[in-house]
Amino acid sequence: FFFFFQESMHAYAANVYTTVIEELMKGKQRKFIAVEQEFFRLWWDMVATDTQKQQVHQLLQEGRLEFVIGGQVMHDEAVTLIDDQILQLTEGHGFLYETFGFRPQFSWHVDPFGASATTPTLFALAGFNAHLISRIDYDLKADMQKNKKLQFVWQGSPSLSERQEIFTHVMDQYSYCTPSQLPFSNRSGFFWNGFATFPDPPKDGVYPNMSLPVTDANLHLYAQTMVANIKERAAWFRTGDVLWPWGCDKQFFNASVQYSNMDLLVDYINKHSDEFGVTVQYATVSDYFQAVYSRNLTWETRGSQDFLPYSTEPFQAWTGFYTSRSTLKGIARRASSLLYAGESFFTQYVRKHPEGSICKCKALKQLQSLRWAVSEVQHHDGITGTESPKVKDMYMNNLMYGMLNVKKLMASIIFDINNAKKNGEVYSSVYPKGSGKPDVDQYVVVYNPLAWNITTFVTVSVSNEAISVYDELGRSVPAQVQSSVESQSTYDLYILVAISGLSYRKYSIKPLNGKQSAFIGRSIKYKRRDLTHADQQSRQLFPVVNNCYQIVFDQNTNLMHSITERETNQTVQFTQEFLEYHVNGDTMKGPISDNYLFAPNASAIPVSKAVGLEVMSGSLMTEIRQYFYSNVTSQDFIYAVYTRLYSVPEGYNEKLLCHRIEQEYSVGPLELNREAVLRTSTNLNTRQLLYTDNNGYQMQKRPFKAYVNNTVARNYYPMVQTAYIEDDTTRLMLLAERAHGVSSQGNGQVEVMLHRRLWNNLQWDLNNNLTLNDSSVVRPVIWLILGTKAVTNTLYRTSGLALEHRPVVMFGALSGEKPKLPRQLQQNSVHDSPVTVPPNLHLQTLSIPGWKYSSNHAEQVRSIHMGKQKQGDADFSRVLLRIRHLYEVGEDPVLSQPVMVDLQSLLKGLGSVTAVEERSLTGTWDVNTLERWKWKTAQYPGKRFFNSTKASEDYKVTVHPKEIRTFFVYFQVQ
């Protein structure tokens, strides 16, 4: 199951929990904090004895063991999507509450590379009282430290502002590890258990680099060293309480030697507190924040600005990881999207087909395998691409395994609903485009996981172009077939689908009979053009048009020339080129790029000297295929762009499809120490101002900043889902299906880093196999939207989600000659009552978590106390529902309005709602009993607790801008 985790876990993490629990039991003063549940749960399920489990319960009750954050992992903040952050937090919190009745209330986000403004909002919504971060720009931290501004009340969301603010502590320059320098010895201090060597620990128990032990002879010197460091740090904070983190990465695997040395120091300092002017105690994060809170000071507030990007030194900008391991970033997002579809699909099945033949417990395990895989890859050394190839393969394998499980589950649900055996239909498994060559006479089932009506194209690989497509009622469906980009021998069939919210439709693909055939895309190939000799004076322009845009290409160069937005007749000069940053891999020669860092040694260099062009045109779509070669005679292209423009026949909703310029890129394999970017240049006067999103939740303004060193890299930002540039009238929007680094290095320009391939000789990178020698070809997709601010405002949120959650396509083969369609399927797909929300809301979650805990806290604590939690099956009656408002206050005159939702009518397709409980973000608190600490600010000098607006008795809820509301919903038993 988890090969790497097994190895690292049994050896290292198991030692940590086993020895720490044992040591905590030996001394009432000792304490410990634990963060990532993935490791703890594996220890709990596979290693812990009954005695150890009892001890954990006792230590939690005494407050000597404390879980902070409590998610599966400590997630990255730059390149993760809000949905996946919520998932991994919920996954960990559900386990902690079910097992211990414990609810984390503090964060410990010490290691992510830069801090997003989404995080304080999420932690506030989860019921946290304080947030703790560490990695922010070195120069900014130095300034804040000097002015005692490392602590503040952060209002991460401009729309939710003080309602979801949170007290935030930034760690000082020493960060989260104990300083190990000893002035009186050339050995290190405070790290007595040495360096973790697993899976083969030394037989004699002597680990490498064990610190100088505390003895009678050095006790006073040791204490002086510790006190001096404490006092240095005290000067940087406003209160007399100093958080002194004791530990670091991979410590406490041998906890007895840690605690026994520390006990001596703690006792000695406290005995001589008059002399030292300091008392020390073991503490948890909550002990520390409680001490600061009780000082009752008035704190400054910080608005919605984030702490990205992050630099540790003048030439160390941590902006490379925004793109590192692009394939892993892409798969992680596809997995997340498939999980989202699978959850709502299964929830509907359980609600609508109580007599169904699928084993629900097995189905839940299939979903859980993907929940776990998507959760773990959000780790700050996961989706970031900052892990070794071996660990990357583990993440990939777990994601692929989970995806296969959920695809199997979805296929078996359809099989079951349609009672396929009676109709002579055979369902094969589900497989995505390109991984199989379904022959003609088959059908596809297409599920729309969004709670809106969607009109879009799905692509199916076919072996013949003479085919027709029909819907459930035998009506012809618009489709276009053309030679495939991928291979010479197959064709791409684009089917126009119109599907209501959370519903599926079934389409038959048959050999041509009669007149109703799919449109055929015809190819025109243009001569390869030598860019070095292109005649700049004479342009040979030709247009490609749909109802929204006219895109003009120049036959002299085979490059794009301009785009006209047809409604306003606004034309924007528009060119795109691929460039590469050449980077250094030799530490002797200067700064290096690696998995984390981006250190370009000059401006980016254009890569291709020649461009080939092919235009596939058909009635529904025109695809422009551009191939970029290093020179006119090169055999193989190094880059390609496939640009698709869609046209929709009468009677279909074209709003989103028509405004979408879809681009798919093929990049790689790159040469070593190259970082590939696509630069789009326009004549918009943007003043080099860029906007990028935080985690697909909110936008950040990114003015270009000039620095003494490393200006290019320090002006790179993460684009998780959205980025745009604009002038006074027109906006160019980019929407992505995986994270990329993005920057505006010139007026009217935006560049996206698509791929990196690096090697360097930094010893640390070599030891950890972190050299990113990634020879893959990546195929990212970006949608472009061009238009007025007003028009793009109404489109970009829904379009971003339509790209994120493209319909799930499942294939089946028709085995009978003319199988009759089951009446049930026609009902299900055409007339059922779909789940639909207005376009400014998003159905963030519709799932059956399966938790066994009671939502009444007193009852839950009581049943844990009596040991009742262990028995019983998963709970299938509780449905988890989240609704998110997509807009900021004042962003749009219509879409920024609050929305009243009637939960009973929204969910009527699932049955009759009998009860709704509003919960905290991860489900563990009843919002009516949740009272977070209110920290005093100049704005609000009186301390007060927050209460949110609650759902009324008649199941009507008003959702305000940017709110994420979480509910448990219960239905009448059928």
Side-chain angles (χ1 to χ4, degrees), residues 943-961:
K943 270 193 194 178
R944 62 176 214 297
F945 290 111
F946 285 135
N947 273 326
S948 47
T949 54
K950 56 173 189 243
S952 60
E953 291 307 300
D954 56 358
Y955 309 128
K956 290 187 171 63
V957 182
T958 301
V959 187
H960 292 271

Side-chain angles (χ1 to χ4, degrees), residues 380-412:
H380 58 274
D381 283 314
I383 195 168
T384 49
T386 55
E387 65 284 275
S388 69
K390 179 169 138 183
V391 180
K392 180 259 299 176
D393 291 342
M394 175 208 76
Y395 284 125
M396 286 290 253
N397 292 340
N398 292 343
L399 288 165
M400 299 312 260
Y401 172 74
M403 287 170 85
L404 184 65
N405 278 333
V406 170
K407 286 173 176 178
K408 280 182 188 160
L409 172 62
M410 292 179 78
S412 60

Side-chain angles (χ1 to χ4, degrees), residues 31 129 249 254 292 514 563 567 600 645 674 695 701 728 773 812 839 850 863 929 932:
K31 298 192 177 188
N129 289 321
D249 298 1
N254 185 356
V292 176
I563 301 179
E567 199 180 340
L645 203 58
R674 298 285 188 272
N695 317 105
K701 202 173 182 168
D728 298 336
N773 189 354
S863 74
T929 62
R932 294 197 307 122

Side-chain angles (χ1 to χ4, degrees), residues 816-828:
E817 270 310 289
K818 283 237 166 81
K820 288 184 198 64
L821 281 164
R823 201 169 292 118
Q824 220 176 341
L825 179 67
Q826 295 175 15
Q827 292 294 325
N828 207 315

